[in-house]
Amino acid sequence: FDAKRDAAKVATDLILQGNEYAMAQTMANTSILTQYVTLSGGNQWDVGATSDPINDINVGIDGVRLGIARRPNTATMSYPVFKVLKSHPKIRDAVKFTNGGQLSDQDFGNFLKDYFNFKYLNVGEAVGDFSVEGQDPVLAEMWGKIFVLHYTAPSPSILTPSFAYKFCDVPRYSDWYQQIQEKSDYVRVQESYDQHICDAKAAYLISAAIS
């Protein structure tokens, strides 16, 4: 048991969760990601008989490609969307000749990358406590019901379009100090950063992908 180490880990986790939540909120915001479609009714992917996620994703790929002259190389989605895609009839038909159609989550992620020519695939599994302080915890999906196609530059450059960057002016660090009067040690973790959407045309949002 190392109280200082554990306190630093808890504080760091909270900062990282704040990072992730801020990005999830931004990527679901249709006033920021202006290339988007909001699915409803029979077009939502959990309605397997009438929806067509393959076509929806291909439309998004074309949207990014015609916006920045580059194919999106990254897909980001919530875990509930990932689960629905894995069992969707059209996806199952496409994957039936791969390992007998029985794929682990990791194998299915690799299939999506190969099928749509993505380099990166991000599945947001984080949940957050959205209850009012003092009330019982209310855990909910942090990434909602979104599927986002976006282009991430292989290396940062002002000459290459890229969806977003996280700029850090002060690297994350931790320290501690003694509070003599309280006979306590205080652990601090600090980070200064800005998450910046550099080119909204480098992304395409499929909002309300599932009901």
Side-chain angles (χ1 to χ4, degrees), residues 13 22-23 26 56 89 112 159 185 194:
D13 286 346
M23 198 67 219
T26 297
D56 294 336
L112 288 178
L159 301 178
D185 294 338
D194 178 37

Side-chain angles (χ1 to χ4, degrees), residues 50-181:
T50 54
S51 61
D52 190 348
I54 294 177
N55 180 70
D56 294 336
I57 293 171
N58 281 327
V59 169
I61 289 173
D62 286 341
V64 174
R65 189 173 57 83
L66 295 175
I68 63 169
R70 285 173 169 79
R71 285 179 57 92
N73 61 359
T74 308
T76 297
M77 73 198 80
S78 67
Y79 183 63
V81 170
F82 179 84
K83 287 196 302 180
V84 167
L85 276 179
K86 188 177 177 182
S87 60
H88 194 281
K90 289 186 181 299
I91 299 291
R92 298 301 301 174
D93 186 63
V95 80
K96 65 185 176 183
F97 297 115
T98 304
N99 197 32
Q102 303 302 314
L103 301 180
S104 66
D105 282 359
Q106 183 175 352
D107 289 336
F108 181 63
N110 290 332
F111 165 79
L112 288 178
K113 288 166 65 176
D114 291 340
Y115 191 85
F116 292 106
N117 196 24
F118 298 139
K119 185 174 182 180
Y120 310 104
L121 187 77
N122 305 315
V123 179
E125 297 189 36
V127 297
D129 179 5
F130 297 96
S131 63
V132 176
E133 186 174 358
Q135 295 184 354
D136 291 338
V138 178
L139 298 183
E141 296 287 346
M142 194 174 291
W143 284 90
K145 303 171 182 180
I146 64 171
F147 186 103
V148 182
L149 301 145
H150 49 105
Y151 179 77
T152 300
S155 59
S157 171
I158 62 173
L159 301 178
T160 304
S162 193
F163 168 56
Y165 287 116
K166 175 182 174 182
F167 298 103
C168 298
D169 57 345
V170 178
R172 186 169 62 247
Y173 71 94
S174 64
D175 63 0
W176 68 277
Y177 63 93
Q178 290 182 318
Q179 191 66 271
I180 303 299
Q181 292 179 337

Side-chain angles (χ1 to χ4, degrees), residues 13-30:
D13 286 346
L14 288 172
I15 288 176
L16 293 175
Q17 188 178 65
N19 277 231
E20 187 169 353
Y21 180 67
M23 198 67 219
Q25 291 294 103
T26 297
M27 293 179 75
N29 191 332
T30 56

